[in-house]
């Protein structure tokens, strides 16, 4: 998503990053215009190194010349800095905000960590344990969606909110992984609420506008695996 006429917001990103996608989703859902700058992470720009000298990673949001780093922090910043623009990502009342932050942290600490172990662990035993942890995390999120949504389509209720964006940033990679492995992470038979959520979230116009192509992600992942296998044999 480019523009909307604003030259005050710039996003430094990398097209395949689920963490960058989170920020793109938040900006798109709220209708905030921005300039997107694709980074080559093998040859990082001076702007990225200057904007995020500690981690030197994307995403970085630059608003009025001031950088904000780390995807969950950026999402909360967007919600506060553009409070009068589009729907709010976080609930207004404190307990609702705390609950949303808790489940967003669960996505980061449990699901992302387990998914990384399932795909990148060194041994098959570690990968198998990672897969078990992914299944357990998805089942937990199914219950969280039931409790948080009160029968509505999203974790945020009638509209997609903070938890939806945090989980939604992973959605394209979930679909890519499912395609490569011939499985369904959000299976209608076992996690019907999450399966419906994925369909509802993915069909939003603001989401479709920024979602990366799943086929392209599959090609990217296969190329990464091929390079890793080649490096391991050298």
């Amino acid at each position: 998503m480019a523009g909307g006429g604003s030259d005050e917001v710039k996003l430094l990103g990398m097209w395949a990053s689920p963490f960058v996608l989170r920020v793109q989703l938040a900006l798109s859902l709220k209708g905030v215009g921005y300039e997107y700058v694709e980074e080559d992470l093998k040859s990082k720009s001076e702007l990225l190194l200057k904007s995020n000298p500690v981690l030197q990673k994307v995403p970085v949001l630059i608003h009025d010349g001031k950088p904000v780093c780390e995807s969950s922090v950026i999402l909360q910043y967007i919600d506060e800095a553009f409070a009068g623009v589009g729907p709010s990502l976080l609930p207004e009342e404190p307990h609702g905000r705390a609950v949303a932050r808790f489940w967003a942290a669960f996505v980061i600490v449990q699901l992302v960590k387990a998914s990384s172990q399932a795909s990148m662990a060194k041994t098959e035993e570690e990968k198998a344990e990672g897969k078990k942890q992914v299944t357990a995390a998805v089942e937990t999120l199914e219950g969280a969606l039931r409790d948080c949504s009160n029968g509505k389509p999203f974790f945020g209720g009638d509209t997609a909110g903070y938890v939806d964006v945090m989980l939604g940033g992973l959605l394209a990679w979930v679909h890519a992984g499912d395609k490569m492995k011939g499985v369904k992470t959000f299976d209608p038979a076992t996690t019907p609420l999450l399966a419906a959520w994925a369909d509802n979230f993915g069909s939003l116009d603001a989401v479709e506008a920024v979602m990366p192509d799943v086929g392209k992600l599959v090609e990217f992942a296969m190329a990464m695996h091929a390079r890793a296998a080649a490096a391991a044999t050298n």
Side-chain angles (χ1 to χ4, degrees), residues 45-230:
S45 71
E46 290 186 11
L47 180 59
L48 173 58
L49 297 176
K50 179 181 178 182
S51 301
N52 190 358
V54 177
L55 300 177
Q56 300 183 5
K57 294 180 179 180
V58 293
V60 176
L61 185 80
I62 303 175
H63 182 211
D64 288 335
K66 298 176 182 178
V68 185
C69 306
E70 205 281 314
S71 63
S72 62
V73 175
I74 294 173
L75 297 194
Q76 294 181 59
Y77 176 85
I78 289 170
D79 210 30
E80 295 174 2
F82 302 97
V85 180
S88 177
L89 298 178
L90 282 160
E92 292 185 5
E93 51 92 17
H95 183 263
R97 295 169 77 88
V99 170
R101 287 179 174 129
F102 172 85
W103 287 115
F106 180 89
V107 170
I108 297 170
V109 174
Q110 300 296 329
L111 184 58
V112 173
K113 182 179 178 181
S115 298
S116 297
Q117 180 175 334
S119 62
M120 296 187 292
K122 294 182 179 179
T123 68
E124 291 303 316
E125 291 79 6
E126 290 173 332
K127 288 181 179 180
E129 178 59 29
K131 291 176 183 177
K132 289 181 182 179
Q133 292 178 15
V134 168
T135 299
V138 169
E139 290 174 352
T140 299
L141 285 170
E142 174 81 0
L145 178 56
R146 181 184 60 246
D147 295 340
C148 293
S149 67
N150 294 317
K152 296 175 181 178
F154 304 109
F155 285 90
D158 288 318
T159 59
Y162 184 55
V163 182
D164 300 283
V165 172
M166 291 294 289
L167 184 59
L170 305 176
L171 195 53
W173 271 111
V174 168
H175 291 325
D178 288 355
K179 188 172 182 179
M180 294 170 68
K181 299 169 187 174
V183 300
K184 274 198 171 183
T185 301
F186 299 150
D187 190 338
T190 55
T191 53
L193 297 180
L194 278 175
W197 168 85
D199 289 340
N200 290 328
F201 186 78
S203 65
L204 293 173
D205 289 343
V207 171
E208 289 184 338
V210 297
M211 273 287 180
D213 179 75
V214 171
K216 190 177 177 183
L217 285 177
V218 170
E219 292 176 2
F220 179 78
M222 293 178 67
M224 286 183 63
H225 289 316
R227 286 196 295 269

